[in-house]
Amino acid sequence: MLMEAEFWVAVAFVVFVAIVWKVGGFDKLIEALDHRGVRVRKELDEARRLREEAASVLADYKRRRAAAESEAAAIVASAREEAERAAAEGHARLNEFVARRTKAAEAKIAQAEAQAAAEVRAAAADAAVRVSETILRERMSGDAAQDLVRRSLGEVRTRLRA
């Protein structure tokens, strides 16, 4: 048994453990493990705090996004209303313009009709006077006839032109 390698490995291990225990290596190992546990606990706390902070930032972002979406919807609705109002106003202006132009055209047509009727009346009066004058000259003769023709023609002219 003293010559076997396993025996000497076991003895060396026991001696090593005794030296480590005597020097206080186990206390330092336990202290190092405790420090590592504290550090891991701090890291976990920091990670939990960062997670809560990230959740808060995410909630704030979602709230802001919802507010921005509602504001964008309000802007779009306002723009639609403004466009509809502008279209209605433009339509009303166009209708008013067409009505004014139609009224002006009708007035011009009525004026042209009145002027044409007056010109036709004047032309008819002149033609009637000429025809009457010609007929009276051919049928009547003398100064009395000339006087009668002038008075009659003057009277016809004034009545037809009126």
Side-chain angles (χ1 to χ4, degrees):
M1 166 161 132
L2 289 176
M3 295 305 265
E4 291 185 23
E6 289 86 10
F7 173 73
W8 290 110
V9 168
V11 169
F13 180 71
V14 169
V15 169
F16 174 74
V17 169
I19 292 172
V20 169
W21 180 66
K22 189 72 171 164
V23 176
F26 289 120
D27 292 334
K28 290 191 187 235
L29 181 64
I30 290 173
E31 186 179 314
L33 287 175
D34 285 344
H35 285 307
R36 181 152 190 228
V38 168
R39 191 178 76 222
V40 167
R41 190 173 305 116
K42 285 181 183 179
E43 287 176 0
L44 286 174
D45 290 342
E46 179 69 14
R48 190 174 302 118
R49 186 188 64 77
L50 289 175
R51 181 175 180 210
E52 289 171 358
E53 186 178 315
S56 171
V57 168
L58 178 63
D60 183 50
Y61 168 75
K62 285 181 179 180
R63 187 180 72 252
R64 286 183 184 180
R65 188 187 78 203
E69 286 175 353
S70 66
E71 185 178 340
I75 289 171
V76 167
S78 174
R80 277 195 185 124
E81 290 173 3
E82 181 69 22
E84 289 173 0
R85 186 185 60 74
E89 187 176 305
H91 188 64
R93 284 184 184 170
L94 179 63
N95 286 341
E96 182 182 312
F97 175 74
V98 168
R100 276 186 300 175
R101 295 296 276 186
T102 302
K103 191 180 245 183
E106 288 173 352
K108 282 184 179 181
I109 290 170
Q111 183 182 8
E113 286 176 350
Q115 185 178 358
E119 287 175 2
V120 167
R121 261 188 259 127
D126 286 341
V129 167
R130 279 191 217 116
V131 168
S132 299
E133 185 178 351
T134 305
I135 291 172
L136 287 176
R137 278 193 188 150
E138 288 176 1
R139 293 202 179 162
M140 295 181 92
S141 60
D143 288 335
Q146 289 294 331
D147 189 39
L148 178 64
V149 168
R150 281 189 201 116
R151 272 188 306 173
S152 299
L153 291 178
E155 191 177 318
V156 168
R157 281 186 187 148
T158 56
R159 287 188 181 177
L160 287 177
R161 288 187 181 169

